[in-house]
Amino acid sequence: MTPPSDTPAPSDYDGDVSPGGPAQTRELAHLVITKVAVDPEMSNNCYLLRCRHTGEQVLVDAAADAATLLGLVGEAGLDTVVTTHQHWDHHRALAEVVAATGAEVVVGTPDADAVTEQTGVTATRRVGAGDTVAVGDCTLQVVPIAGHTPGSVALVYDDRPSGGRPHLFTGDSLFPGGVGNTFGDEAAFAQLVDEVETKLFDALPDETWFYPGHGGDSTLGAERASIPEWRARGW
């Protein structure tokens, strides 16, 4: 395969995708991000990340509809699938995608056994704080965010050295308008809000663009002032 050009094409990416509709692609200096929504009932987001220099690819959440995901992967192959957390709707296509591509399977350590039990797919890498995931020449920082599930992970790609902004993949830990569901567990909710605030909002600038597990995108700056409201309402 011939690696793609190093020159990003203009993009009208806004992150507004829907199941059955087209994917959207955002081209950065070194990384290409493609977002697609799958399953009309759950409307999960899946993200294919491609290094512009090597062509290597990483998929964030093989949520459903393996045919769509494998179509995005194409002939370039897939090096890694990161499963952001153990909930069933985020890994329904994992077994089929891994069988077709031989991709490495990355899961947050506390969720890894549950993902294997539910999918039959062994986590080949269990990750936590300080770990990274390579996308060719690009690097994703792993940020564990407990609360929605014990082993949920977020991923950060920092494009600031190239004049861009950080890009954050949050799974179901953070959405526009609030943190993820903790199903009435007050302790888990408090933990989730604390970890989202300290590990994401306190660590990253307002211009950080984040990509959640369902629905549209946002920036940390657009959400930051609402954290006290989220704490007060308890969900």
Side-chain angles (χ1 to χ4, degrees), residues 59 62 64-67 69-70 73 78 81 93-103:
L59 179 66
D65 193 354
L69 300 181
L70 292 171
V73 168
L78 186 66
V81 180
L94 181 63
E96 189 172 348
V97 168
V98 170
T101 63

Side-chain angles (χ1 to χ4, degrees), residues 1-64:
M1 172 185 171
T2 301
S5 166
D6 288 347
T7 304
S11 174
D12 57 359
Y13 178 92
D14 62 11
D16 184 12
V17 296
S18 59
Q24 283 198 9
T25 296
R26 182 176 216 165
E27 300 204 22
L28 310 179
H30 305 289
L31 186 72
V32 178
I33 301 168
T34 298
K35 177 179 181 178
V36 67
V38 295
D39 181 7
E41 181 179 354
M42 299 301 295
S43 193
N44 289 85
N45 295 327
C46 307
Y47 301 94
L48 184 67
L49 313 181
R50 175 172 56 82
C51 174
R52 294 184 61 83
H53 309 303
T54 69
E56 292 175 72
Q57 299 189 121
V58 170
L59 179 66
V60 180
D61 283 343

Side-chain angles (χ1 to χ4, degrees), residues 6 20 37 68 72 79 99 111 117-118 123 133 138 141 157 185 209 224:
D6 288 347
T68 291
L72 289 181
D79 294 272
D111 278 10
E117 289 168 6
Q118 294 172 43
V133 176
C138 302
Q141 299 290 332
Y157 173 68
D185 185 328
W209 188 287
R224 189 181 299 275

